[in-house]
């Protein structure tokens, strides 16, 4: 079924979007939220389990102190208030991947609440208000076997792996984000991207979207332009890359507008995101009053972090990302526009590490922003998933600085890196990419070029130095690009002066 979509500009002319983001962060604690099982990713199915995370009768949970610490640090970094006293709650629902038939979560008493994060898009700052950040546990994982789509419909049987059940999660929920207008897709992306940067800086999670350490649910509604009543929302679940967050918001805006334009009503539901086709499809109905029969968890004591501890943790927070960017921009000497592009491309950390490996900031910017961003786009992956490391980029730039390769040849070194052909130096060797700055070989090539282009040579003899470009081009062609262009130019001018 193809959805009717309204062109994006037309959506904006008639409607105001309201965004809401729910991000689940899987903490990198050694053990699970309420038991001593390892919280490591993967493992043979059902080997990281015990009576507590399998929900066997009589098993008693104990709160993971490290997870509470991480939750408080995330809350503080998001400018939240930290509860002086809060409890866990049972969220009752029945899924095969939830062995207890309830999820231990927090309901009306989250550990952190009333915060905000300032998000920058194209030099404009949007304040995203954080309603709450609460602690909960992850579910297990079902695999449906035999169906064509991997979905439960049409499957012959299903397997359940409880290794993930009970891994600590923090769910961060925003208040409705209003007034973003045409920038709504970009604001959603920037928020998730900046939140990820913060989580990584805090060191509380690997925060890899591709591994599901960080999962975003995107809520969207439209209201008629100028109206202050929020429209009916849909919730697109588990959007798994920054790029997709942006695409999902844009798609839902266009889809909602088509339904509203036709005089029909939006159906409040969850939606599935399809990475390959860039569309969402209907999931399950969701009312605001889903009856999970929440009640305080009787097997766990309340969490009451002392104010001294909270202040101690405040002292461990990393530099605020906005201030950090300003500091890096200053240190790198980037213009506002350059820094904005770098931030939008999500390569601040990559450049920082490349510079730390010895490359000049502008060189690092050039490779990450032009060459590698383009390749990531072409491949449809995040730049961090491209497989090229900051150390490798610095090594390629070192080869350029040492005049072993020029910029053009350096691009072929990146080809080799992406193809897994070894270190930059090995690739230069294997592919025979080193530029020739040996004057003997260059001199012969220059002589050939002069002999083949007598008119051009005459012009240069007459002082028209700009004409040298044509001869340099001829020499580069003969040398198959592997010549030091600056040295070629010098030789031409020496010979024709
Ligand atoms: Zn366990």
């Amino acid at each position: 079924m193809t959805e009717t979509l309204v062109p994006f500009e037309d959506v904006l002319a008639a409607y105001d979007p309201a965004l809401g983001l729910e991000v689940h962060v899987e903490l990198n604690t050694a053990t699970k939220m309420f038991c001593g099982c390892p919280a490591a990713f993967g493992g043979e199915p059902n080997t990281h389990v015990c009576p507590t995370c399998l929900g066997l009768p009589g098993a008693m949970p104990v709160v993971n102190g490290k997870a509470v610490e991480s939750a408080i640090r995330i809350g503080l970094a998001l400018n939240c208030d930290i509860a002086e006293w809060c409890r866990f709650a049972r969220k009752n629902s029945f899924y095969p991947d939830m062995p207890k038939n309830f999820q231990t979560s927090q309901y009306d008493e989250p550990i952190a609440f009333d915060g905000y994060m300032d998000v920058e898009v194209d030099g404009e700052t949007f304040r995203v208000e954080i309603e709450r950040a609460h602690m909960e546990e992850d579910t297990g994982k079902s695999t449906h076997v035999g169906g064509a789509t991997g979905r439960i419909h049409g499957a012959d049987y299903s397997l359940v792996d409880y290794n993930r059940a009970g891994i600590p999660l923090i769910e961060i929920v925003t208040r409705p984000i209003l007034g973003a207008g045409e920038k709504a897709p970009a604001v959603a992306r920037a928020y998730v991207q900046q939140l990820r940067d913060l989580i990584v800086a805090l060191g509380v999670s690997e925060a890899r979207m591709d591994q599901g350490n960080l999962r975003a649910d995107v809520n969207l509604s439209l209201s008629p332009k100028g109206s202050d009543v929020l429209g009916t929302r849909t919730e697109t679940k588990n959007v798994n890359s920054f790029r997709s967050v942006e695409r999902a918001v844009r798609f839902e805006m266009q889809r909602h507008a088509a339904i509203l334009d036709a005089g029909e009503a939006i159906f409040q539901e969850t939606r599935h995101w399809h990475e390959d086709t860039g569309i969402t499809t209907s999931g399950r109905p969701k009312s605001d009053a889903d009856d999970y029969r929440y009640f305080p968890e009787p097997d766990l004591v309340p969490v009451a972090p002392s104010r001294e501890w909270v202040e101690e943790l405040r002292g461990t927070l990393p530099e605020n990302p906005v201030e950090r960017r300003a500091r890096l921009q200053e240190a790198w000497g980037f213009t506002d526009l350059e820094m904005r592009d770098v931030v939008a491309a999500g390569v601040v950390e990559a450049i920082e590490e490349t510079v730390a490996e010895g490359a000049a900031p502008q060189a690092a910017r050039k490779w990450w922003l032009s060459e590698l961003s383009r390749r990531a786009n072409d491949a449809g992956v995040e730049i961090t998933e491209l497989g090229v490391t900051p150390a490798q980029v610095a090594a390629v730039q070192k080869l350029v600085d040492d005049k072993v390769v020029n910029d053009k040849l350096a691009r072929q070194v990146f080809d080799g890196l992406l193809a897994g052909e070894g270190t930059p130096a090995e690739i230069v060797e294997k592919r025979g990419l080193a530029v020739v700055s040996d004057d003997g070989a260059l001199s012969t090539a220059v002589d050939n070029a002069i002999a083949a282009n007598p008119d051009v040579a005459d012009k240069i003899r007459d002082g028209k130095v700009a004409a040298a470009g044509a001869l340099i081009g001829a020499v580069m062609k003969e040398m198959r690009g592997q010549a030091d262009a600056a040295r070629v130019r010098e030789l031409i001018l020496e010979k024709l002066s």
Side-chain angles (χ1 to χ4, degrees):
M1 185 184 73
T2 352
E3 293 280 358
T4 317
L5 298 180
V6 170
F8 192 66
E9 293 68 31
D10 297 351
V11 178
L12 297 165
Y15 303 99
D16 291 323
L19 287 168
L21 290 142
E22 292 170 25
V23 174
H24 285 89
V25 178
E26 203 173 76
L27 298 179
N28 60 1
T29 51
T31 55
K32 290 186 180 180
M33 189 77 211
F34 303 111
C35 64
C37 292
F41 179 79
E44 278 293 301
N46 299 308
T47 53
H48 302 168
V49 291
C50 73
T52 299
C53 57
L54 286 177
L56 300 186
M60 290 294 274
V62 177
V63 176
N64 182 332
K66 187 74 186 170
V68 175
E69 179 187 302
S70 296
I72 294 174
R73 291 179 71 232
I74 290 172
L76 289 172
L78 292 170
N79 304 293
C80 288
D81 290 341
I82 305 300
E84 296 196 16
W85 192 92
C86 64
R87 282 181 296 189
F88 285 95
R90 289 190 182 181
K91 180 184 183 181
N92 295 281
S93 62
F94 300 88
Y95 287 112
D97 55 12
M98 278 211 316
K100 299 188 292 189
N101 278 339
F102 61 85
Q103 182 186 26
T104 308
S105 181
Q106 292 194 290
Y107 181 47
D108 49 355
E109 300 166 283
I111 182 108
F113 51 93
D114 287 346
Y116 64 86
M117 183 162 78
D118 286 331
V119 170
E120 223 184 272
V121 173
D122 296 340
E124 200 181 335
T125 303
F126 291 86
R127 174 153 295 189
V128 175
E129 292 184 6
I130 308 292
E131 183 183 293
R132 55 193 278 145
H134 68 250
M135 300 180 280
E136 60 182 34
E137 59 179 338
D138 212 341
T139 60
K141 212 176 155 133
S142 302
T143 308
H144 308 297
V145 184
T149 57
R151 295 239 156 108
I152 193 162
H153 301 285
D156 295 329
Y157 60 94
S158 299
L159 297 169
V160 191
D161 175 9
Y162 293 115
N163 283 355
R164 203 178 65 180
I167 289 186
L169 293 180
I170 304 297
E171 179 174 348
I172 301 159
V173 183
T174 68
R175 293 215 166 85
I177 305 165
L178 306 169
E182 60 172 340
K183 288 186 180 152
V187 168
R189 175 188 177 136
Y191 167 75
V192 178
Q193 208 159 6
Q194 212 171 297
L195 183 59
R196 180 189 180 272
D197 289 351
L198 188 68
I199 298 293
V200 169
L202 285 164
V204 294
S205 170
E206 305 315 316
R208 288 191 51 173
M209 291 191 92
D210 60 323
Q211 285 196 358
N213 304 137
L214 193 137
R215 309 195 282 266
D217 300 340
V218 180
N219 287 275
L220 181 102
S221 67
L222 295 181
S223 37
K225 222 167 172 51
S227 158
D228 52 7
V229 181
L230 288 179
T232 303
R233 68 191 168 87
T234 52
E235 179 181 349
T236 305
K237 306 288 282 181
N238 292 327
V239 186
N240 57 3
S241 73
F242 302 133
R243 206 168 138 259
S244 299
V245 167
E246 187 167 355
R247 290 163 77 207
V249 171
R250 182 178 273 267
F251 180 86
E252 281 295 282
M253 283 174 71
Q254 294 179 272
R255 192 183 66 84
H256 278 218
I259 294 169
L260 295 171
D261 280 357
E264 287 163 23
I266 303 292
F267 183 51
Q268 185 161 329
E269 61 180 352
T270 64
R271 310 270 307 170
H272 298 294
W273 169 247
H274 301 271
E275 184 72 38
D276 46 351
T277 47
I279 66 163
T280 68
T281 55
S282 190
R284 63 181 167 86
K286 190 179 182 182
S287 77
D288 283 325
D290 272 344
D291 188 5
Y292 290 118
R293 296 184 300 117
Y294 280 101
F295 64 88
E297 166 60 60
D299 288 345
L300 287 166
V301 292
V303 176
S306 75
R307 295 301 94 180
E308 293 74 33
W309 188 35
V310 170
E311 287 317 306
E312 199 183 302
L313 293 177
R314 197 189 297 279
T316 69
L317 294 186
E319 188 179 5
N320 170 302
V322 177
E323 287 162 18
R324 177 164 173 274
R325 270 178 215 164
R327 175 177 62 78
L328 290 172
Q329 183 181 347
E330 165 102 27
W332 294 342
F334 288 1
T335 64
D336 288 350
L337 188 65
E338 285 172 342
M339 195 64 191
R340 203 180 294 169
D341 289 346
V342 161
V343 170
V347 293
V348 175
E349 280 68 35
I351 292 179
E352 192 179 21
E353 288 169 38
T354 308
V355 169
E357 294 282 346
Q362 284 294 2
R365 186 184 71 84
K366 180 185 68 186
W367 294 124
W368 284 105
L369 210 54
S370 56
E371 197 60 22
L372 296 170
S373 276
R374 184 177 58 72
R375 288 168 193 251
N377 258 332
D378 290 349
V381 299
E382 298 293 332
I383 197 156
T384 45
E385 294 160 16
L386 201 55
V388 175
T389 66
Q392 289 171 328
V393 175
V396 172
Q397 181 56 35
K398 175 107 189 1
L399 294 172
V400 175
D401 292 341
D402 293 347
K403 298 195 187 305
V404 176
V405 294
N406 53 29
D407 278 12
K408 206 169 159 195
L409 294 168
R411 294 197 175 92
Q412 295 186 44
V413 179
F414 283 115
D415 291 338
L417 283 173
L418 289 171
E421 292 172 17
T423 68
E426 285 164 2
I427 292 163
V428 168
E429 180 71 31
K430 272 187 214 161
R431 293 195 172 206
L433 295 178
V435 295
V436 179
S437 44
D438 155 35
D439 275 2
L442 285 186
S443 186
T444 311
V446 169
D447 290 342
N448 293 345
I450 291 171
N453 299 278
D455 308 352
V456 180
D458 284 344
K459 279 189 196 160
I460 299 170
R461 282 196 193 90
D462 291 347
K464 288 181 187 138
V465 178
L471 291 186
I472 297 171
V475 174
M476 292 304 271
K477 196 171 170 196
E478 180 172 338
M479 304 295 292
R480 300 204 326 274
Q482 289 173 235
D484 176 353
R487 182 64 193 137
V488 172
R489 184 185 164 83
E490 280 171 17
L491 286 173
I492 291 169
L493 295 182
E494 267 170 36
K495 284 173 192 280
L496 295 177
S497 62

